[in-house]
Structures are given as structure tokens and as C-alpha cells.
Amino acid sequence: MLIYECVGPEVLLQVKILIQEYIKVFDAKTKILIPAGALGIPYDRDALARGLSENPDLIAIDGGSTDSGPYYLGTGRSKYSRNATKADWADLMAARTIANVPLVIGTAGTSGADSAVDWMLDITLEIARERGETLKIATLKSGQQKEKIITAFNKGAITPLEGAPNIDKTILDQCTNIVALAGIEQIQAALSSEADIIIAGRTTDTAIIAALPIARGCHKGAAWHGAKIAECGALATTNPNSGVILMSFDETGFTITPLAHDTSATPYTVSAHMLYENADPYILYEPGGWLDVRLAQYTAIDDISVRVEGSVWHETSNYTVKLEAARQAGFQTVSFVLVRDAHYCAHIHEWANALKASFEHKAQLNGLTETKLELRAIGRNATLGQLETNHSSDGEVGIMAIFTSLYQKQANEAAKMLNPDLLHLPLTPHEPMPTFAFPFSPPEMDRGPIFEFCLHHTMTLNDPMYAFRLQIIES
């Protein structure tokens, strides 16, 4: 197995040459096949076969996001089963072989951390060995060294986005993983290696789709807009769970075509997707610029496909990438108790307040004042808390007690300390002692380390490849 790295200005030179060669050899039309919104989400295999018959130029799929919380970035581990990931990825590798085009995954292994890229590479090489395939694989890593981020912070090169937490050198030094979100330039650098498979670390959801059309001279606004519409597979269609769509890009716009039976794209389903995970339904910010779709026109060209034109891409003078990071925020133990007594169900929040008061008193006596207790009433307002408007009083409530401490031993000790109260604490001093139900024994469950997001910022780069590392593996 041969491994070598591509670094420095020569990478960008390769990209420029690639773009020039694409423009010479190809017309601007580019087809991207998207099997699903993310690797691990089911998709229609027959629809994928129909997509391959359309002769796509590239197969692209997302590998993760921050949707599942900070644990996966904090640890660099995937949320998905390795066996399930391997099975789905093996199918897409087989599809790549049939189509003889690049297969690209972005934000590999849920978080796109360097260890997640290595995990995905290991799976890829294992599949290749089992099939006797010889492959050229490019990995694009986006993990950041803390020292470089601290230096950039001190130089004023890091800017908070709206709602970003306050940061300082101490917080940055506590980060277990920091990633930068790659844009099209970094994906184009990987494409310039002519790799069969590209495994990218953290990327914007759109970059892996927009990179090739833009390299081939397609309309930039259309490429970014189409990539945004296609980022979640068939979510922008009448059958979101079908997964597979084909995106066709050219010099003036793009066309989205769902490939599953009984599935259509409509002007409504396509235009509405700009609302998805986006603060402004008309504007989308990406590395190097921003997309404006206020003048976009959505036209149904047949019963299943929609044509879009009129999107505008604006380049910015500074090239910035978004940063994400997580740090350990302590340890947790969770206990759960079920309450069915009608009297207590009717006064569950008062009982929870009594539990909290009892805990605080006992914590003071037992040296556990640094442990925090959070109580959630499952079946009442555990999801929305004070924002809940549906105040039902059904016959059963679950109380989840979450103990957070700097050390696992302390969190577990605090949970055991409250165990008798969870089972028997009376609502008032002069009523009979109740008995509730633990769903299992022991009721205390150690969650281990917990993490929190601590970066929601951008970093300015003089060279788009400065924060990224491209490596080529020939198996």
C-alpha cells in the first residue's frame, strides 16, 4: 500500500489545472447521484440502479453532522454501527465500480474528526481487500491543532457567529477535537488526485455536491443552490424516505430528478428545502462566499422533475471556514423512576421540586455540592420544559434524574444518595410514604464522560488548503 501527502501551494495549482482541463474536455453539464441524505439511512436500491443507468459523473453522500450532539465530535467516534456502515458503504463502492466515477463521502464517521476519517478508511480498505480491488483513495482531513487555533485566536483571525459561546485560551486548550468545515476548494483538490474514492473529514453538506459542477464550469449559483437542495437526498421530494435523486447541473441552472417510483419533486418541495437547517430561506453562507436565491425560479418540467434557474453566488474578499469543537464537560449518571399514583401525577412538578430540595440538602451534608441535578418529567414537559403548552395529566409519569459532576464516582454517588427519595419521598410531611417503581435494578446508569460544543466561529485563511491535509492511499 502506497501512501503520500499532497500539501502546499502545489495542491491549488493542481486544482486550477484540473478546472482548465475539465473545461477543455467536458461541456459544463454534470450529473451527481445522491443515494441518501446520509450514509446509514435506508434508500431504494432499485432507484440507485436507475441512477447508475443515467451515467452520473460522481456519487456523493454525507456521512454525518452535529445533529446528534457533541459526544461524537468530542470522542471522534461514529454514531452508527460499524457492521451496518460497512454493508451500506460496500453497496456504494460496488455502485462506483459499475459507474466508474468517483465516490465521495463528506463528514465521514458522523463528526468528520480525523479519527472518524481513519475509521472510514479502515472500512474501505477492508472491503477492497475482501473484493480483491485495487483502489486509489484520497483522505481529506479537517482536524485542527489546538496550538494553531490558539495562535489564530490571538491574531484576531477567529470570529464568533451569532449565538457563539465565549472562548478563551483555556477553553480552546480543553477541546478534544476541533474541525474546520471544508468547502469546494478542498474537495476539488481531492478530485484533482483522480482518486476512486474520497473520504473527507468535516465538510459543509453542500461542498461535496457543488465542487465538481463548479470545476467543470457550471453556473456557480446553481451549483451551490442545487447542492443545498440535494444535501438530504430525497427530502426535497414528495417521498423523503426514498433517498435517491439525480442532480443535473449546467451553465444556467440545475434539475432535480427523484429516481424512486411514486416520487416527485415539485416547485414547493424544492423551494421549501431552503428553510431546512437555515436561518434565512434565501441566503446560504459557505466558505468563500454566499448564495442568494431570491430571484430563483422553480419550474416543473414534467411530472417528477423540477428545473431551477436564477440563483446568484457572491464571492467574499476574505476566505473563511467555520470551526466546530467539543470539550469534555464532566461525567453523568442517570436514574429513572416511574410514577403512577394519581395524587403524585397531578402534582408531579411539586414533587420534583421536593426531590431537588432534598438532594441539595443531602449534597451539602455529603460533600457533593459540585454535582448538579436535573429532573425531567417524561410525559409532561421533558422535551420543551417551560415552553410546553400542552399540560396533560395522564396516568403515568417518568422522572429522569440526571446527575452531572466533574468525576464519574461523584455523579454515581449522588444518584445513589437520592435513590431512597426517588422511591419513597412523600409530597408533604404528613401523608403516607409512597412507593414508586424503578424500571430496572440498579436504577443508576453511568453515562461516562459528556461533552459540550464550544466553537461556533469562523477562521480566516489566506490559503484554502492551509487548514486541511490531503493524503493519497493506493491499495
Side-chain angles (χ1 to χ4, degrees):
M1 183 168 65
L2 177 64
I3 301 175
Y4 56 95
E5 292 191 3
C6 303
V7 294
E10 66 270 14
V11 176
L12 291 180
L13 179 60
Q14 278 185 293
V15 173
K16 291 177 182 177
I17 294 171
L18 169 75
I19 293 173
Q20 291 168 358
E21 292 301 314
Y22 271 139
I23 293 172
K24 287 178 186 177
V25 177
F26 302 99
D27 61 20
K29 293 180 181 178
T30 303
K31 294 179 181 179
I32 309 291
L33 181 62
I34 296 95
L39 186 66
I41 295 177
Y43 60 88
D44 186 324
R45 259 58 178 182
D46 292 336
L48 181 65
R50 283 190 287 276
L52 296 176
S53 71
E54 293 291 332
N55 300 315
D57 299 290
L58 181 141
I59 301 171
I61 192 163
D62 188 26
S65 73
T66 58
D67 292 356
S68 297
Y71 175 84
Y72 303 101
L73 178 57
T75 60
R77 299 173 185 167
S78 173
K79 66 176 282 187
Y80 293 110
S81 149
R82 188 185 190 279
N83 288 341
T85 299
K86 180 181 176 182
D88 286 348
W89 190 236
D91 286 347
L92 295 185
M93 286 176 62
R96 186 217 69 81
T97 301
I98 293 170
N100 193 29
V101 298
L103 170 62
V104 181
I105 184 169
T107 312
T110 305
S111 67
D114 288 355
S115 58
V117 173
D118 291 337
W119 179 79
M120 198 70 209
L121 174 63
D122 183 66
I123 292 173
T124 305
L125 292 171
E126 185 177 299
I127 295 168
R129 285 194 301 270
E130 291 171 354
R131 293 178 173 172
E133 283 188 285
T134 300
L135 294 170
K136 186 176 184 180
I137 304 167
T139 62
L140 178 69
K141 291 188 174 180
S142 54
Q144 304 300 301
Q145 295 179 358
K146 287 187 281 190
E147 295 76 13
K148 288 187 176 181
I149 296 299
I150 291 170
T151 299
F153 175 71
N154 290 335
K155 290 182 177 179
I158 294 179
T159 304
L161 294 167
E162 184 177 355
N166 294 325
I167 59 172
D168 55 28
K169 180 182 180 299
T170 300
I171 290 174
L172 292 173
D173 198 48
Q174 291 172 346
C175 294
T176 53
N177 276 307
I178 305 173
V179 292
L181 276 67
I184 63 166
E185 292 82 3
Q186 297 82 14
I187 299 299
Q188 288 171 346
L191 288 169
S192 73
S193 71
E194 298 184 345
D196 301 304
I197 296 175
I198 297 171
I199 302 171
R202 188 67 168 113
T203 67
T204 69
D205 294 346
T206 48
I208 59 172
I209 301 169
L212 184 59
I214 291 175
R216 286 186 165 189
C218 293
H219 191 278
K220 286 187 177 181
W224 281 113
H225 190 182
K228 170 62 182 173
I229 300 305
E231 64 180 357
C232 293
L235 193 61
T237 73
T238 59
N239 183 6
N241 294 322
S242 59
V244 191
I245 59 173
L246 184 71
M247 301 296 295
S248 301
F249 300 92
D250 55 42
E251 299 97 328
T252 60
F254 72 88
T255 301
I256 173 174
T257 303
L259 296 170
H261 291 310
D262 301 320
T263 305
S264 300
T266 70
Y268 172 78
T269 62
V270 175
S271 61
H273 193 74
M274 281 298 297
L275 285 163
Y276 183 74
E277 296 181 338
N278 198 25
D280 188 322
Y282 299 109
I283 305 296
L284 179 69
Y285 292 95
E286 294 282 346
W290 54 282
L291 172 68
D292 183 350
V293 304
R294 284 174 290 191
L295 299 179
Q297 298 293 313
Y298 303 80
T299 305
I301 58 175
D302 54 33
D303 290 339
I304 63 170
S305 301
V306 169
R307 174 74 179 173
V308 181
E309 296 185 357
S311 314
V312 180
W313 173 253
H314 300 274
E315 292 187 0
T316 52
S317 55
N318 291 331
Y319 187 89
T320 61
V321 292
K322 185 186 175 189
L323 296 175
E324 294 171 350
R327 63 172 180 163
Q328 191 171 324
F331 293 82
Q332 278 186 348
T333 297
V334 176
S335 294
F336 201 84
V337 67
L338 301 175
V339 179
R340 287 188 57 82
D341 185 293
H343 173 59
Y344 283 82
C345 285
H347 298 87
I348 197 67
H349 295 302
E350 292 94 326
W351 186 67
N353 289 337
L355 272 176
K356 192 128 190 193
S358 178
F359 172 78
E360 290 172 355
H361 174 69
K362 291 181 177 181
Q364 192 78 35
L365 297 176
N366 290 277
L368 293 170
T369 54
E370 290 186 356
T371 302
K372 298 177 182 178
L373 170 63
E374 178 186 359
L375 296 173
R376 298 186 188 179
I378 310 297
R380 293 297 169 83
N381 65 346
T383 303
L384 296 179
Q386 297 300 317
L387 298 176
E388 182 61 71
T389 58
N390 180 19
H391 300 289
S392 62
S393 55
D394 295 331
E396 182 174 88
V397 181
I399 291 293
M400 181 166 61
I402 306 170
F403 304 85
T404 305
S405 182
L406 293 176
Y407 305 98
Q408 187 67 71
K409 183 178 179 181
Q410 286 185 344
N412 185 273
E413 189 71 15
K416 289 178 178 177
M417 184 184 71
L418 196 63
N419 181 306
D421 287 342
L422 285 173
L423 197 60
H424 295 302
L425 182 71
L427 187 60
T428 61
H430 302 293
E431 61 185 271
M433 183 181 71
T435 297
F436 304 119
F438 288 137
F440 27 68
S441 177
E444 298 85 22
M445 298 170 284
D446 290 341
R447 288 194 59 221
I450 62 168
F451 295 83
E452 64 182 9
F453 290 122
C454 52
L455 272 180
H456 183 58
H457 297 65
T458 61
M459 179 170 65
T460 302
L461 300 179
N462 293 325
D463 175 351
M465 288 301 296
Y466 173 76
F468 303 88
R469 299 174 309 287
L470 181 62
Q471 189 176 69
I472 309 301
I473 300 98
E474 295 185 358
S475 65

